[in-house]
Amino acid sequence: MKYYLKQGVFPFIYQLFMAMIAFGILAINELIWLKILLAVLNIALYLFIVAAVAYKDGQQALKVQMANDLERREIIRTGEDRPLKLNEEYKPWKGFFFGFMACVPIIVLLLLHTIVYLATGSYMGLGTIAGIIGMMFFIFFRLNASNATAETAVVPWYTYYGVLIAVPILMLTMGIAYIMGAKKIMRQQEMIRVKQRQIYGDNV
């Protein structure tokens, strides 16, 4: 589990940095069109970065799987107990799961927000924290807030669930990039096998 938590930490921390940029965008006087444009660019930059990281992770994971396969052959041949990096092996679902892990703090906060609000009928502090963490996405629900109240204006309690749009977006971005990274290594390995067959024949 430690490995999966580690993989979710980077996109979560970077989410906090992009949230600060989103607050800066929100503070722009009027000019809604400019806020929307900058907000979209902010999200695009974030998704590009996490996709690039997931792409590399997919490549590395497949290399680990290939190395483990070699170790498994040696284990079968010699009976020797050899260490395997099983958690780091490539599995198509892992990229999607890494994206989900990055969203766990928001999901937990919104779950608690629901429980606390239904119990108290007024307290929305946990929803506010979730909105702050996910401000990169939540900004689209706050574009009409005035400068004076951009960070403090009260919004309906259910509005905070808009932050959950981050979950499918991040899961798809990281999941697809992870698979594409692995497929690049697969293609490279296939090209190597083709060249070897051309040189040495079908006995390779």
Side-chain angles (χ1 to χ4, degrees):
M1 193 61 184
K2 183 179 179 181
Y3 171 72
Y4 299 106
L5 289 173
K6 179 183 175 182
Q7 292 300 105
V9 164
F10 171 78
F12 172 72
I13 291 177
Y14 212 84
Q15 211 176 128
L16 299 179
F17 286 112
M18 305 311 278
M20 289 188 283
I21 296 175
F23 273 113
I25 295 170
L26 198 61
I28 296 174
N29 287 321
E30 301 178 0
L31 298 176
I32 297 297
W33 66 269
L34 181 58
K35 290 183 180 181
I36 293 174
L37 176 61
L38 292 176
V40 170
L41 291 175
N42 191 33
I43 292 174
L45 175 60
Y46 173 73
L47 295 181
F48 174 79
I49 292 170
V50 296
V53 172
Y55 186 81
K56 288 292 184 182
D57 286 341
Q59 291 181 325
Q60 181 60 33
L62 192 67
K63 290 177 182 177
V64 169
Q65 180 176 301
M66 291 162 54
N68 281 348
D69 287 343
L70 291 175
E71 292 294 326
R72 289 186 182 99
R73 293 191 188 98
E74 284 300 303
I75 291 172
I76 293 171
R77 188 178 67 85
T78 64
E80 180 185 354
D81 185 17
R82 303 170 74 97
L84 300 175
K85 298 179 180 178
L86 296 177
N87 285 338
E88 299 176 33
E89 279 192 342
Y90 169 75
K91 300 292 181 185
W93 55 267
K94 284 188 175 181
F96 299 98
F97 188 66
F98 296 155
F100 174 79
M101 290 298 295
C103 297
V104 165
I106 288 175
I107 295 171
V108 171
L109 283 167
L110 288 175
L111 178 61
L112 294 174
H113 163 70
T114 303
I115 295 170
V116 173
Y117 181 81
L118 292 178
T120 64
S122 60
Y123 184 73
M124 297 193 294
L126 295 170
T128 301
I129 296 172
I132 290 172
I133 294 173
M135 183 54 70
M136 175 173 46
F137 298 95
F138 192 56
I139 187 174
F140 293 100
F141 298 89
R142 303 296 306 277
L143 288 172
N144 290 320
S146 65
N147 277 347
T149 60
E151 298 180 21
T152 59
V154 176
V155 297
W157 70 280
Y158 52 81
T159 305
Y160 294 106
Y161 297 113
V163 182
L164 289 175
I165 189 64
V167 179
I169 290 176
L170 199 51
M171 287 181 67
L172 287 171
T173 299
M174 295 189 69
I176 293 171
Y178 181 84
I179 291 172
M180 289 176 63
K183 285 188 178 298
K184 178 181 179 182
I185 301 301
M186 291 178 189
R187 289 193 298 270
Q188 289 177 348
Q189 291 301 307
E190 182 59 29
M191 289 173 63
I192 291 172
R193 284 192 289 268
V194 169
K195 288 185 179 295
Q196 287 178 334
R197 283 196 296 268
Q198 289 174 345
I199 296 172
Y200 302 107
D202 294 333
N203 293 325
V204 177

